[in-house]
Amino acid sequence: ASLASWLTASDRATAIGEVVLDQAPTRAIRHASVVDPHLWMDASLWADSTGAIVDVLSRLDPAGASLYRERGAQTQQEMLSLDEAIRANLMRLPPERRYLVTSHDAFHYFARRYLADLDEADWSDRVRAPEGLAPDGQLGPSDLQEIVDYVRLHDLKVIFPESNVSPDSVRKIAEIAPVEVCPETLYGDATGRGGYFEMMRHNGDVLMRYLQ
C-alpha cells in the first residue's frame, strides 16, 4: 500500500512521515497491508525528520536557511542522544522482562528499537495490544483471550494504559489475567505537556520502573 494512503499532504502541508519512510522504506512496519504510522516512537528513525523539516523551511524562507540547518543538526543530534539513552536504559532489563502490553497498537516501533535485541528476528513478539492502529475499535472475546494468553505466557506483572485511549480494555484484561494495570500512563499518539523529548523519556522511565 502507498504511504500516501495514510499520510496526506496538500499545497500547504508536507507529510514528514512519508518523506522519512520514502528515504528508509525497509524500516516501515506494516500490519497486513497497512503501514504503521507511529514512527516517531523510534527516535533513531524520527531523527531523520529534521532534514525534511529543514528543507521545507529553507524553501519558504531562504534567508533563514543557515539557521534552520544549524538548528536542525542540533535537534537531530539531541534525538540520537535520546535514542541511545532510552535503549541503553531498557537493555538493562533481562530479556524475559522486555515484553509489553499497551492499550492500542502504538508501540511496535518502540518495541523493535528499545525492547528487542539488535537484529532480533522475532522482535514483534515483544509487544501486544488489544486494540488496533486506530484506538476506536471494539474489543472482541478473541482479542481479549489472545492478550490474556500472552500475559500468562510471558508471566507479565503489569500492563499499560495510554493517555489518549480508554483504559477499559486493559482493565478487562486485568480482571481475567493475573496482572496489574500500571498506575502511570504511556504516551503513544499524544505528547503531553512536555513535548516529544519528555514524552519519550517518560515512556522509557515508566517501562524501566514497572517491567523489572
Side-chain angles (χ1 to χ4, degrees):
S2 169
L3 295 176
S5 65
W6 58 271
L7 285 172
T8 60
S10 72
D11 291 341
R12 300 182 62 84
T14 298
I16 297 299
E18 183 175 346
V19 174
V20 171
L21 290 185
D22 278 347
Q23 295 173 348
T26 61
R27 298 181 70 183
I29 293 174
R30 288 177 168 81
H31 304 274
S33 60
V34 179
V35 176
D36 187 333
H38 301 91
L39 61 161
W40 56 85
M41 298 297 282
D42 176 347
S44 72
L45 180 58
W46 196 232
D48 293 341
S49 69
T50 57
I53 294 170
V54 168
D55 288 344
V56 171
L57 294 177
S58 296
R59 286 199 302 270
L60 295 173
D61 177 23
S66 60
L67 176 61
Y68 298 136
R69 286 194 297 270
E70 177 185 343
R71 295 288 178 83
Q74 178 182 346
T75 300
Q76 184 177 49
Q77 186 54 55
E78 289 174 355
M79 286 186 179
L80 293 175
S81 296
L82 173 70
D83 167 72
E84 292 175 1
I86 295 172
R87 181 166 175 83
N89 192 36
L90 289 175
M91 285 296 105
R92 293 164 49 206
L93 292 170
E96 64 271 17
R97 303 311 312 162
R98 285 188 258 122
Y99 289 93
L100 174 64
V101 169
T102 63
S103 297
H104 92 292
D105 275 335
F107 277 79
H108 287 271
Y109 287 96
F110 191 100
R112 182 178 67 180
R113 179 61 183 163
Y114 305 115
L115 299 180
D117 294 327
L118 291 176
D119 300 321
E120 184 173 320
D122 201 23
W123 66 264
S124 62
D125 191 47
R126 293 284 178 182
V127 61
R128 288 289 186 278
E131 300 183 47
L133 294 178
D136 55 4
Q138 295 296 316
L139 179 62
S142 62
D143 302 312
L144 181 62
Q145 188 59 53
E146 179 184 355
I147 302 300
V148 169
D149 291 344
Y150 181 87
V151 166
R152 289 173 172 158
L153 175 64
H154 295 293
D155 191 28
L156 299 189
K157 307 302 182 186
V158 62
I159 56 180
F160 298 85
E162 294 180 48
S163 63
N164 64 318
V165 182
S166 169
D168 289 348
S169 60
V170 290
R171 288 173 179 166
K172 288 179 182 177
I173 294 165
E175 290 174 359
I176 302 172
V179 69
E180 300 291 331
V181 176
C182 183
E184 299 187 61
T185 59
L186 298 177
Y187 292 92
D189 288 338
T191 61
R193 295 181 180 179
Y196 176 74
F197 286 88
E198 183 57 32
M199 173 197 78
M200 293 295 288
R201 291 189 190 98
H202 169 86
N203 286 341
D205 290 346
V206 168
L207 294 179
M208 186 66 194
R209 285 197 297 273
Y210 289 95
L211 289 182
Q212 295 188 61

